[in-house]
Amino acid sequence: MSAPTVAGDLRASVRGYLESAAPEAEVRRIAETPSGSDPAVWARLADLGLTGLGVPEDFGGAGAGFAELGVVLEELGRSLLPAPFFSTAVLGVQALLLSGDAAAQAEYLPQVAEGRLRVAVGTVGASTVAAVPGSRGWLLDGLADGVLDGATADLVLVFAAADDGPALFAVPADAAGLSRTPLRTLDLTRRQARVELHATPAVLVGSAGDGGRVAAALLDRALAALAAEQVGGAQRVLEMAVEYARTRYQFGRSIGSFQAVKHRCADMLIDVERARVAADAALAAVDTSAADLPVAARVAGTFCGEAYFAAAASNIQVHGGIGFTWEHPAHLYYRRAKSSQLLFGSPGEHREELMRQLGH
Amino acid sequence: MSAPTVAGDLRASVRGYLESAAPEAEVRRIAETPSGSDPAVWARLADLGLTGLGVPEDFGGAGAGFAELGVVLEELGRSLLPAPFFSTAVLGVQALLLSGDAAAQAEYLPQVAEGRLRVAVGTVGASTVAAVPGSRGWLLDGLADGVLDGATADLVLVFAAADDGPALFAVPADAAGLSRTPLRTLDLTRRQARVELHATPAVLVGSAGDGGRVAAALLDRALAALAAEQVGGAQRVLEMAVEYARTRYQFGRSIGSFQAVKHRCADMLIDVERARVAADAALAAVDTSAADLPVAARVAGTFCGEAYFAAAASNIQVHGGIGFTWEHPAHLYYRRAKSSQLLFGSPGEHREELMRQLGH
Amino acid sequence: MVQPSADESLDGFRARVRAWFAENVQLTGGVKDESFDAVDVARRFQAALFDARLAGLTWPAEYGGQGLTTAHQLAFNEAAEPYVVPTMPLLIGLGMCAPTLLEKGTQEQREEHLARMLRGDEVWCQLFSEPGAGSDVAGLRTRAVRDGDDWVVTGQKVWTSGAHYSDYGLLLARTNPDVPKHLGLTMFVVDMRAPGVTIRPLRQITGGSGFNEVFFDDVHVPGDAVVGEVDRGWQAAVTTLMNERVSIGAGGGGLGRRLGGGEFAALADLARRRGGLADPVLRQSLASVFVEERLLELLSSRIREDVRAGRTPGPQGSVAKLAGAQLARHAAEVGLEVLGSGGAAWESDDADAERWTQALLGAPGNAIAGGTPEIMKNILGERVLGLPREPAVDRDVPFRELRVGGGRS
Amino acid sequence: MVQPSADESLDGFRARVRAWFAENVQLTGGVKDESFDAVDVARRFQAALFDARLAGLTWPAEYGGQGLTTAHQLAFNEAAEPYVVPTMPLLIGLGMCAPTLLEKGTQEQREEHLARMLRGDEVWCQLFSEPGAGSDVAGLRTRAVRDGDDWVVTGQKVWTSGAHYSDYGLLLARTNPDVPKHLGLTMFVVDMRAPGVTIRPLRQITGGSGFNEVFFDDVHVPGDAVVGEVDRGWQAAVTTLMNERVSIGAGGGGLGRRLGGGEFAALADLARRRGGLADPVLRQSLASVFVEERLLELLSSRIREDVRAGRTPGPQGSVAKLAGAQLARHAAEVGLEVLGSGGAAWESDDADAERWTQALLGAPGNAIAGGTPEIMKNILGERVLGLPREPAVDRDVPFRELRVGGGRS
């Protein structure tokens, strides 16, 4: 079986599932529930083998690489289905894999693959947690802000500063002194939480002092994964705009026959095509452990974020008044696009880091 | 006579002169002469009272303010007539006025008004000149780069660092140790020179130590004046693009009926209208000695520079292939627009200075 | 209260307006939204203005106006400029519907409504736009069918400001689908409380509801409610739309203050408090916002000068609309840039995040409401620059055969 | 030299191409402009290729081709990729004119010209565009009038690459002005050295002259020079234009190297030498150039993969054209930003200022040549996204009554 076929099959099966099980009304329903997610959906994603897609086969997963993860993320980006895929199946799994901690992997990854464990990761930038050794293990104090799906996860992984440097820790949802506050979010289809820790017992994952390396590598992977999701969303709003422009008639003509609208759609296409090659290159750089992954990840991070937001705004513009109503899905993508742009650093920060990575 | 009428009369007379005496062929002819200017043109501008427009009546000028100077600059910006108006009648006259040096004013300004003296000013940013007191007056050493019309001026004013701080000095064209190298220029219709001084005798203009104030005030005025010129050029390229779009037929339609071209022209208009109010506000701020002149000057400096360049590039775009030929005047404006953007600091530098002026 | 005298000079008039505002300052100001309270404030203000013989300055005296000159109107505008004039909810009626009745309405319509509108007793809305007729208003599909002397109206309008507090509406409906689109429209006065009229607020992506959908379900409209002639409604609608921006009665103030609402100052303050004011890249963005805002202020002050001087404003109005929308979007994006990840998620008491995310969500609507950028640029290109219109494909086609509206996504 | 055998496998063929390039490397590379020297280099290279039976791989053997499969062409492209293939001056002939003759030409035309083109003995140019017919090629006005069996051509062509070194040209001229514009055109083979043909280089704003104007002043063209049928020239021209980007014969290499020519590296170096690499604002601009350049590399590598795999490239070609023009402009502007006032005036030995001001001056032409952004976006909108065309106003009008060209400024 050749790679395109695997990817094609995966795409068809994920899209088929999402189109039948998660139409817009269902996405809105789940987004409006108190927790912002639906355990039944997660169970179904597990049945489809998606929660464990990136989990090595030894731990009950499919052992797929970022090429395949990217396919799923792209489809989820199209659908906006609120589910903790990005937090658990990307950030959580990758953090555990990068930590090199075989025990933690053996404990958690099979549960992720089975859909029994949702994992949230406090990314290092937004975290001010300190770890001290206590009498019966480590104790954490501090807060991690903007943790994706942080309020509903069964396990929270946080980076904390210890004497030997930063390290990754695992905190179960029922740990003492752990409090999680759901935040208001611009993006209505992905929740975030503030995670506070007060003398909270935690388990070291990986080696003490190794958290900096894990966090940096995790950030590269997060950017590559997010880029795939952004491409999916951008492609979807492009299709939405084109479909509307084709079928909306004003002045006796399809509005898509007017150059102002046609060229706006063409500009969206130009951005989407470029975002796609950027995302694909970043995903491939993860899979091939390419030395320039940090560069490829930031090229994707800056471009895909800006392209998606521009496309989401253009989509509203093409729709005119109707695009500005709550009932129309255009704003769900506009919100997701801007929110995504801010998740792991802004486009400006990515550009500055890019210059550093390029040795300038 | 009300102010609008004065300005209107002045505009009509200047435009009338330029349209009859300086059509494109004449502009190109003068630009291609070795010196890049034509003494007969300068004499004619003097006859029209333009060289002394900003010279006080006591010194034989018209005593006009920046509102009137702006009108002439706008018309010269339309025409691109190569003449040392900006260097002499704006920078030179204003530097002398700002210096407060009555003797220098009495010596030089009447000659400017009569068209017998062309003045160039080394703006402080591009100058590294040091002044030391010699046995028979001051001696200057160093160089001033990018001096507008520096090679053809009869008198060069330079800012130089002396013991008491920066000061303004006058150097006649025949001074010992003065060498002037014409530079290659992006703008084919305005020359620049590198001015080098080697133990060159010079006359202090104004007070020692007062050069910083003069230079800062001169820069504000230069930006206001340049903005007016930029508005004139931007307006001209807009008219050129519209005229072409109206009369050029492709696919059986005037190309201006296509939204891509129509909206491009509308975008140019939006920029020109905003550039106009920005320039007018800066000119008025000079005339009313407004406290926020430095702000108004930089708003104009950044916006008018960018608007003109965008409009000049759009004009080429509207013209298609013909706009990209040497024979078509579009590139003369494109060159002037980019060059002007770089003369007294870049748009980015103006924005940073704006923040400082605003107290941030 | 200062009373008008028969031989009042323009200066005397101006002084009287000033005095009235000074005496009645409690009636003005402070009202910024279109809630029902705002309508009540507007009604009270307008009634007082009417009683002081300062409403409808240039309107004919027979319809409750003052029959004064444009010079008086300009003097009023000048005197009113320092005040926030709380008549926003009445402006569609006074600024668009009333001039239409004056020009196209019957004598009975003028006598019945104009003075009452001028006193603030009647609030009006305008019912032109439809889901299928946005930029292309003349493509509307709401039908009015004869029923004896009456008409029966069926259809849907949208983007109707103030429908929920209006007493009457000026409705444009199709009365003949067998002729080209502009030729089969008729304008009616409709009672917004008539049976069959349903008003539904339209929720926007900001969560707010400034506009309404209005449904007409077999609404009976009397024959004498036709404004102008049957099937000549487009001419009446053009009158309405041409008056869209003309300021009548108590209007004129406030424009400059409404445009460019201090975004730069707010952003600089935000950057100071949340960090970032030292970041050279952010400083560039902030300075750009300052420049855009300053240019918008300068543009609107030029528009005000023109209006004050009785000149027809140049293209600055459309330019200001486009530049204002651009500024709103740009400022919101810079706001989010300052907030960073705090603009994606925040605690509920974070007023900064609320303000700037609302601004970001409001920005697209800002650009669309009152004319899309595409339509505004067509206007600039065609009416100001003299570029030719697109070839029209819908001029000579019976409306029945024309494809309108639609739009799937 | 490795010789082909009757039963050569694809692998064998590929090995033979590799060996040929390795042996003949002195014939390749290093030629970057379209001067006469470049033409000579191209002719020599092509002749050697022909002699090695490696020219015209998929062309029929009867016209000098090799009659091989597309797979052979792809194998050739792959093997040639490491080399700069110096055939640019021949590409219009081989890539556009020859396929047109193959498809639409007479047997005599094919026999007379194709093998000679394939050997590099004949260089061809394409004479479609006119001052009045730019984006709208079919609006051309050059007339060809019958004169007995011959035709007499009068008119002006423009933007003709390589006219000054070409032996023949494929001319599109109007033979019937009384029918709609697409229906009255005829294609001819013209001898570029025939009496009445005048070639004038067209000076561009960069100062360079890559294109020509070609004037036809009563040029006699024999009747057997008609390509296809009289008045059916548009169909022939479509064939030509469809082949514009197909790589024939020795083509295929070089695309990736031509796009994205190291602007970022040059700018970073410039910033380091002239100061500015520490400026955070400039660093943002530099990083943006890097991103654009990287994306362009990725796009063109995807195009190459498609070509290699025998797939029709997707929209990436048009996207790359637009993105390339945007990068060129952006990079030039950043270059001027780094140079500051040194980009407005410089001493004649300042290579930096020369390079980046030339880039700035070349940028607008870069965007226009080979299809304006407007036309490219129409193509993307219509052919890729499926949006409808504009209503055509010139389809059913006799050319004589159509307004074309013009343009005053």
Side-chain angles (χ1 to χ4, degrees):
Chain A
M1 205 155 52
S2 70
T5 314
V6 172
D9 287 353
L10 181 60
R11 185 182 305 281
S13 93
V14 174
R15 188 175 298 188
Y17 165 69
L18 290 171
E19 286 182 353
S20 66
E24 185 195 331
E26 176 70 357
V27 167
R28 287 184 185 256
R29 182 194 68 74
I30 299 172
E32 286 167 13
T33 59
S35 71
S37 68
D38 182 336
V41 166
W42 190 242
R44 183 78 186 105
L45 293 181
D47 289 347
L48 290 168
L50 299 180
T51 65
L53 187 65
V55 171
E57 293 178 27
D58 289 352
F59 300 119
F66 267 61
E68 288 79 17
L69 278 176
V71 168
V72 176
L73 287 160
E74 204 180 314
E75 294 304 316
L76 287 168
R78 287 179 70 87
S79 146
L80 298 181
L81 174 67
F85 186 86
F86 197 96
S87 51
T88 300
V90 180
L91 296 179
V93 169
Q94 294 300 322
L96 290 167
L97 292 177
L98 287 165
S99 75
D101 185 325
Q105 292 167 4
E107 179 175 359
Y108 301 125
L109 290 177
Q111 295 187 63
V112 168
E114 289 163 22
R116 291 188 293 109
L117 187 79
R118 290 164 301 173
V119 186
V121 184
T123 48
V124 74
S127 155
T128 53
V129 184
V132 290
S135 53
R136 290 159 50 201
W138 293 86
L139 294 176
L140 305 190
D141 273 280
L143 75 84
D145 217 344
V147 180
L148 295 182
D149 301 319
T152 47
D154 306 301
L155 181 75
V156 179
L157 299 176
V158 289
F159 292 94
D163 276 351
D164 293 336
L168 184 64
F169 292 89
V171 183
D174 57 3
L178 173 69
S179 72
R180 303 183 288 178
T181 316
L183 297 173
R184 300 189 66 142
T185 50
L186 174 59
D187 183 354
L188 301 176
T189 53
R190 179 147 57 202
R191 299 290 174 95
Q192 297 189 34
R194 162 171 291 193
V195 173
E196 286 169 282
L197 306 117
H198 302 284
T200 302
V203 178
L204 176 68
V205 179
S207 319
D210 194 33
R213 181 194 63 81
V214 174
L218 185 62
L219 178 57
D220 291 342
R221 292 172 182 214
L223 287 172
L226 188 66
E229 196 190 274
Q230 288 166 326
V231 167
Q235 174 70 33
R236 180 70 195 96
V237 293
L238 168 60
E239 290 169 14
M240 208 184 284
V242 167
E243 177 66 8
Y244 189 79
R246 228 171 39 74
T247 55
R248 168 82 173 174
Y249 277 67
Q250 295 280 277
F251 305 104
R253 296 164 53 179
S254 137
I255 64 168
S257 72
F258 287 100
Q259 278 187 333
V261 175
K262 184 179 293 174
H263 290 188
R264 188 182 284 277
C265 291
D267 286 334
M268 292 168 78
L269 174 67
I270 292 164
D271 273 0
V272 168
E273 287 295 325
R274 292 196 287 170
R276 188 179 303 284
V277 292
D280 287 354
L283 296 168
V286 177
D287 283 339
T288 61
S289 307
D292 84 338
L293 167 60
V295 167
R298 271 157 199 85
V299 166
T302 176
F303 191 83
C304 298
E306 292 185 335
Y308 186 14
F309 181 66
S314 279
N315 182 40
I316 294 181
Q317 193 63 40
V318 168
H319 277 78
I322 190 75
F324 189 60
T325 59
W326 186 270
E327 285 73 17
H328 196 279
H331 73 108
L332 300 177
Y333 291 88
Y334 182 73
R335 291 165 176 272
R336 167 65 64 90
K338 176 50 82 179
S339 173
S340 295
Q341 238 186 7
L342 303 170
L343 281 189
F344 303 114
S346 70
E349 288 163 345
H350 297 322
R351 277 189 287 266
E352 178 54 40
E353 178 60 24
L354 190 51
M355 289 296 288
R356 282 194 287 265
Q357 292 286 349
L358 291 167
H360 297 296
Chain B
M1 205 158 52
S2 70
T5 314
V6 173
D9 287 353
L10 181 61
R11 185 182 304 281
S13 93
V14 175
R15 188 175 298 186
Y17 165 69
L18 291 171
E19 285 182 353
S20 66
E24 185 194 331
E26 177 69 358
V27 167
R28 286 184 185 256
R29 184 194 66 75
I30 298 173
E32 286 167 13
T33 59
S35 72
S37 67
D38 183 336
V41 167
W42 190 241
R44 184 77 187 107
L45 292 181
D47 290 346
L48 290 168
L50 298 179
T51 65
L53 187 66
V55 171
E57 294 178 26
D58 289 352
F59 299 118
F66 268 60
E68 288 78 19
L69 278 176
V71 168
V72 176
L73 287 160
E74 206 180 312
E75 293 304 316
L76 287 168
R78 288 178 71 86
S79 147
L80 298 182
L81 174 67
F85 186 86
F86 197 96
S87 50
T88 300
V90 180
L91 296 179
V93 169
Q94 294 300 320
L96 290 167
L97 292 177
L98 286 166
S99 76
D101 185 324
Q105 291 168 4
E107 179 174 358
Y108 300 126
L109 290 178
Q111 298 187 61
V112 168
E114 289 163 20
R116 291 189 293 111
L117 188 79
R118 289 164 302 173
V119 186
V121 184
T123 49
V124 74
S127 153
T128 53
V129 184
V132 290
S135 52
R136 291 158 51 199
W138 293 86
L139 294 176
L140 304 191
D141 272 283
L143 74 86
D145 216 343
V147 179
L148 296 183
D149 300 319
T152 47
D154 306 301
L155 181 75
V156 179
L157 299 176
V158 289
F159 292 94
D163 275 353
D164 292 336
L168 183 66
F169 292 89
V171 183
D174 57 3
L178 173 70
S179 73
R180 303 184 289 178
T181 315
L183 297 173
R184 300 189 67 142
T185 51
L186 175 59
D187 182 354
L188 300 177
T189 54
R190 179 146 59 202
R191 299 291 174 95
Q192 297 189 35
R194 162 171 292 193
V195 173
E196 286 169 283
L197 306 118
H198 301 286
T200 303
V203 178
L204 176 67
V205 178
S207 319
D210 194 33
R213 181 193 64 79
V214 174
L218 185 63
L219 178 56
D220 291 343
R221 292 171 183 217
L223 287 171
L226 187 66
E229 195 190 274
Q230 288 166 326
V231 167
Q235 174 70 34
R236 180 70 195 97
V237 295
L238 168 60
E239 290 168 14
M240 210 184 282
V242 167
E243 177 65 8
Y244 189 79
R246 228 170 41 71
T247 55
R248 168 82 172 173
Y249 278 67
Q250 295 281 275
F251 305 105
R253 296 165 52 180
S254 135
I255 63 168
S257 72
F258 287 100
Q259 279 188 331
V261 176
K262 184 180 292 174
H263 289 188
R264 188 183 284 278
C265 291
D267 285 335
M268 293 168 79
L269 173 67
I270 293 164
D271 273 1
V272 169
E273 288 294 325
R274 291 196 287 171
R276 189 179 302 285
V277 292
D280 287 354
L283 296 168
V286 176
D287 283 339
T288 60
S289 306
D292 85 337
L293 168 60
V295 167
R298 270 156 200 87
V299 167
T302 176
F303 191 83
C304 298
E306 291 184 335
Y308 185 14
F309 181 66
S314 279
N315 182 40
I316 295 181
Q317 193 62 40
V318 167
H319 277 79
I322 190 74
F324 189 58
T325 59
W326 186 270
E327 284 74 17
H328 196 279
H331 72 108
L332 301 177
Y333 292 88
Y334 182 73
R335 291 165 176 272
R336 166 66 63 91
K338 177 49 81 179
S339 173
S340 296
Q341 237 185 10
L342 303 169
L343 281 189
F344 304 113
S346 70
E349 288 163 345
H350 296 322
R351 278 189 287 267
E352 177 55 39
E353 178 59 25
L354 191 50
M355 289 297 286
R356 283 195 287 263
Q357 291 286 349
L358 292 167
H360 297 295
Chain C
M1 184 184 293
V2 186
Q3 289 298 323
S5 66
D7 57 351
E8 185 180 47
S9 71
L10 206 55
D11 283 346
F13 173 79
R14 190 181 288 107
R16 183 158 65 88
V17 176
R18 287 215 183 92
W20 185 86
F21 269 98
E23 281 173 33
N24 292 279
V25 69
Q26 83 287 350
L27 290 172
T28 70
V31 179
K32 299 211 162 146
D33 63 346
E34 296 189 12
S35 66
F36 283 88
D37 280 354
V39 177
D40 290 343
V41 170
R43 285 181 191 266
R44 276 198 300 275
F45 176 89
Q46 190 68 23
L49 202 65
F50 185 89
D51 293 343
R53 301 200 185 170
L54 289 173
L57 295 179
T58 60
W59 292 21
E62 61 181 310
Y63 306 124
Q66 304 303 324
L68 295 173
T69 66
T70 304
H72 287 85
Q73 182 69 60
L74 300 175
F76 180 96
N77 293 351
E78 194 187 318
E81 200 170 9
Y83 300 92
V84 172
V85 175
T87 51
M88 181 70 90
L90 308 181
L91 285 187
I92 289 172
L94 294 171
M96 299 173 71
C97 302
T100 307
L101 289 187
L102 259 176
E103 193 172 320
K104 303 284 184 184
T106 62
Q107 184 64 18
E108 292 71 28
Q109 287 165 350
R110 294 187 202 128
E111 286 173 3
E112 183 179 347
H113 297 293
L114 288 177
R116 293 179 54 76
M117 291 166 84
L118 217 44
R119 267 204 97 252
D121 293 340
E122 287 183 8
V123 180
W124 284 54
C125 63
Q126 183 249 76
L127 298 151
F128 291 4
S129 295
E130 297 188 4
S135 292
D136 178 17
V137 174
L140 59 84
R141 281 184 290 201
T142 292
R143 291 289 308 274
V145 178
R146 278 189 199 274
D147 180 25
D149 287 344
D150 292 359
W151 297 82
V152 178
V153 176
T154 304
Q156 181 192 348
K157 296 291 175 178
V158 77
W159 308 117
T160 314
S161 298
H164 52 300
Y165 54 64
S166 287
D167 305 296
Y168 290 92
L170 215 47
L171 171 81
L172 202 58
R174 187 160 307 278
T175 40
N176 185 352
D178 297 316
V179 291
K181 65 177 185 178
H182 291 92
L183 305 179
L185 301 173
T186 301
M187 185 181 281
F188 298 90
V189 174
V190 293
D191 181 342
M192 293 301 287
R193 288 164 189 117
V197 176
T198 309
I199 297 163
R200 210 181 73 174
L202 198 57
R203 193 175 181 198
Q204 295 157 31
I205 70 180
T206 52
S209 302
F211 301 97
N212 301 278
E213 294 178 298
V214 181
F215 297 86
F216 292 87
D217 188 11
D218 285 344
V219 175
H220 276 257
V221 175
D224 61 7
V226 170
V227 179
E229 294 171 43
V230 171
D231 290 348
R232 300 289 297 275
W234 183 247
Q235 285 76 354
V238 168
T239 304
T240 315
L241 295 170
M242 294 288 273
N243 279 287
E244 190 157 10
R245 283 190 195 83
V246 177
S247 106
I248 293 275
L255 179 64
R257 283 186 293 280
R258 204 163 54 80
L259 296 171
E263 270 85 350
F264 171 76
L267 287 170
D269 176 57
L270 180 73
R272 170 169 293 121
R273 286 185 291 103
R274 317 259 309 207
L277 200 50
D279 173 1
V281 179
L282 184 63
R283 291 170 69 82
Q284 291 283 311
S285 299
L286 290 170
S288 293
V289 170
F290 180 85
V291 170
E292 284 183 46
E293 193 168 75
R294 171 65 69 98
L295 295 180
L296 197 53
E297 286 162 13
L298 292 170
L299 276 175
S300 33
S301 114
R302 188 156 295 193
I303 294 169
R304 281 200 308 276
E305 275 167 36
D306 283 345
V307 169
R308 252 204 307 270
R311 290 190 296 269
T312 307
Q316 290 94 357
S318 302
V319 172
K321 158 96 171 78
L322 286 160
Q326 185 185 310
L327 167 62
R329 175 175 170 167
H330 186 191
E333 290 189 18
V334 175
L336 273 283
E337 193 182 333
V338 177
L339 291 169
S341 57
W346 60 93
E347 293 200 87
S348 54
D349 61 355
D350 183 343
D352 291 331
E354 291 287 340
R355 169 177 180 164
W356 292 107
T357 53
Q358 278 291 305
L360 186 84
L361 293 169
N366 207 322
I368 293 165
T372 64
E374 290 78 15
I375 295 292
M376 300 307 284
K377 289 184 187 177
N378 280 350
I379 290 173
L380 287 175
E382 291 162 13
R383 298 198 203 151
V384 180
L385 296 177
L387 293 170
R389 296 167 60 94
E390 301 229 20
V393 297
D394 57 350
R395 292 267 148 170
D396 307 319
V397 185
F399 179 77
R400 196 183 283 290
E401 295 169 17
L402 203 61
R403 189 155 171 191
V404 295
R408 289 195 308 272
S409 65
Chain D
M1 186 184 291
V2 187
Q3 289 298 322
S5 68
D7 58 350
E8 184 181 45
S9 70
L10 206 53
D11 285 344
F13 173 78
R14 189 181 289 107
R16 183 159 63 89
V17 176
R18 286 216 182 91
W20 185 85
F21 270 98
E23 282 174 34
N24 293 278
V25 70
Q26 82 288 352
L27 290 172
T28 69
V31 179
K32 299 212 163 145
D33 64 345
E34 296 190 14
S35 66
F36 283 90
D37 279 355
V39 177
D40 290 342
V41 171
R43 284 181 192 265
R44 276 197 299 274
F45 176 89
Q46 190 69 22
L49 202 64
F50 184 90
D51 293 343
R53 301 201 185 170
L54 290 173
L57 295 180
T58 61
W59 292 21
E62 61 181 309
Y63 307 123
Q66 303 304 322
L68 295 172
T69 65
T70 304
H72 287 85
Q73 182 69 61
L74 299 174
F76 180 96
N77 294 351
E78 195 187 317
E81 200 168 10
Y83 300 92
V84 172
V85 176
T87 52
M88 181 72 89
L90 308 180
L91 286 186
I92 289 172
L94 294 171
M96 299 172 71
C97 303
T100 308
L101 290 187
L102 258 176
E103 194 172 319
K104 303 283 183 184
T106 64
Q107 185 63 20
E108 293 71 26
Q109 287 165 350
R110 294 184 202 131
E111 285 173 4
E112 183 179 348
H113 298 292
L114 288 177
R116 293 179 52 78
M117 291 166 85
L118 218 44
R119 266 204 99 252
D121 294 339
E122 286 182 10
V123 181
W124 284 53
C125 62
Q126 183 250 78
L127 299 150
F128 291 4
S129 295
E130 297 188 3
S135 293
D136 178 18
V137 174
L140 60 86
R141 281 185 291 202
T142 291
R143 292 288 308 272
V145 178
R146 277 189 200 275
D147 178 26
D149 288 343
D150 292 358
W151 297 82
V152 179
V153 176
T154 304
Q156 181 192 349
K157 297 290 175 178
V158 77
W159 308 117
T160 314
S161 298
H164 53 299
Y165 55 62
S166 286
D167 305 294
Y168 291 92
L170 216 46
L171 171 81
L172 202 58
R174 187 162 307 279
T175 39
N176 184 353
D178 297 316
V179 292
K181 65 178 185 178
H182 291 92
L183 305 179
L185 302 173
T186 301
M187 184 179 281
F188 299 90
V189 174
V190 292
D191 181 342
M192 293 301 287
R193 284 157 192 124
V197 176
T198 309
I199 298 164
R200 211 181 72 174
L202 198 58
R203 193 173 180 200
Q204 295 157 32
I205 70 180
T206 51
S209 303
F211 301 97
N212 301 276
E213 295 177 296
V214 181
F215 298 86
F216 292 87
D217 187 11
D218 285 345
V219 175
H220 276 257
V221 176
D224 61 7
V226 171
V227 180
E229 294 171 42
V230 171
D231 289 350
R232 300 289 297 274
W234 183 248
Q235 286 77 353
V238 167
T239 304
T240 315
L241 296 170
M242 294 288 273
N243 278 287
E244 190 158 9
R245 283 191 194 81
V246 176
S247 107
I248 293 276
L255 180 64
R257 283 187 294 279
R258 204 163 53 80
L259 295 171
E263 272 84 349
F264 170 76
L267 286 170
D269 176 56
L270 180 73
R272 169 169 294 120
R273 286 184 291 102
R274 317 257 312 203
L277 201 51
D279 172 3
V281 179
L282 184 63
R283 291 169 70 82
Q284 290 284 311
S285 299
L286 289 170
S288 293
V289 170
F290 178 86
V291 169
E292 284 183 47
E293 192 168 73
R294 170 65 70 99
L295 295 180
L296 197 54
E297 286 162 11
L298 292 169
L299 276 175
S300 34
S301 112
R302 188 155 296 192
I303 294 169
R304 282 199 306 274
E305 275 167 34
D306 282 345
V307 169
R308 252 202 307 269
R311 289 191 297 268
T312 307
Q316 289 96 356
S318 302
V319 171
K321 158 96 171 77
L322 286 160
Q326 185 186 310
L327 168 62
R329 176 175 170 166
H330 186 191
E333 291 189 18
V334 174
L336 273 283
E337 193 182 332
V338 176
L339 291 170
S341 58
W346 60 93
E347 293 200 87
S348 54
D349 61 354
D350 183 344
D352 293 331
E354 292 288 340
R355 168 176 181 165
W356 293 106
T357 53
Q358 278 291 307
L360 187 82
L361 293 168
N366 207 322
I368 293 165
T372 63
E374 290 77 14
I375 295 292
M376 300 308 284
K377 289 185 187 176
N378 280 351
I379 290 172
L380 288 175
E382 290 162 15
R383 298 198 202 153
V384 180
L385 296 176
L387 293 170
R389 297 167 60 95
E390 302 229 18
V393 297
D394 58 349
R395 291 269 149 169
D396 307 319
V397 185
F399 178 77
R400 196 183 283 290
E401 296 169 18
L402 203 61
R403 188 154 169 194
V404 294
R408 290 196 306 271
S409 66

